[in-house]
Amino acid sequence: LEKGLLKPGINIEQRMKRDPINNERGLLGKLNLIQQSLDWIERLDVVCEPVAENPLHKAELSNTLAGVKSTETTNVHDDFQREMVFYRQAQAAMFHSIPRLQAAGIPTRRPPDFYAEMV
C-alpha cells in the first residue's frame, strides 16, 4: 500500500475452483429412495409437443399428438410468443389427457352447482 501499487478497483477476489462431483452411485441411491411406482392416474404427468398453431387442420393436430416435433422456432425473448407456446403445450396435454381420464371413468367437468358449493 505504501508504494501505491494497489489501486481501488483493480483487485478482484479470485475464488478457488472446485472440481465437479459426480457421485452417480449416491444419486441413483437417492433416486431409488424417493421414486414411487404410481399409476398414471395418481401422477397425471403428460409430456407432449405443443399443438399446431391452427388446430383446425386435423392432419397437423394428429401429427402433433403423435409426437412429431414442430419445425417452428421460438424466440425466447418474445414474451407473447413464449406464452403462446406454453398455452399450446397445455392444449396438447389436455387433448392427450381428457380421453384417458374419460376412459378411466373420471369426471372432467365441474358439477352445475360448483360455484354454489364454494359460497
Side-chain angles (χ1 to χ4, degrees):
L1 285 173
E2 289 179 9
K3 293 183 181 179
L5 298 175
L6 298 175
K7 303 210 187 285
I10 63 168
N11 301 310
I12 300 171
E13 181 181 347
Q14 296 290 323
R15 295 186 182 256
M16 297 280 294
K17 290 189 179 184
R18 292 178 29 182
D19 291 331
I21 300 170
N22 186 16
N23 185 354
E24 227 174 287
R25 189 171 151 193
L27 287 173
L28 289 174
K30 286 295 182 185
L31 177 63
N32 289 332
L33 181 69
I34 64 173
Q35 192 172 22
Q36 297 177 353
S37 297
L38 300 174
D39 292 335
W40 179 79
I41 199 65
E42 297 292 329
R43 297 185 325 262
L44 296 178
D45 56 341
V46 179
V47 179
C48 54
E49 291 293 319
V51 170
E53 290 237 11
N54 187 354
L56 298 177
H57 297 111
K58 292 187 179 188
E60 289 180 28
L61 182 59
S62 65
N63 285 343
T64 302
L65 292 178
V68 175
K69 291 199 183 269
S70 175
T71 57
E72 69 183 79
T73 58
T74 305
N75 178 4
V76 296
H77 301 293
D78 184 352
D79 291 339
F80 181 73
Q81 187 181 21
R82 189 175 61 238
E83 288 297 324
M84 283 306 295
V85 170
F86 291 148
Y87 173 76
R88 289 190 355 252
Q89 190 165 11
Q91 271 185 317
M94 184 267 316
F95 286 139
H96 183 76
S97 301
I98 294 291
R100 288 178 79 176
L101 290 169
Q102 290 173 341
I106 296 173
T108 57
R109 296 201 179 262
R110 291 182 180 145
D113 60 345
F114 174 75
Y115 294 110
E117 290 179 9
M118 293 176 59
V119 175

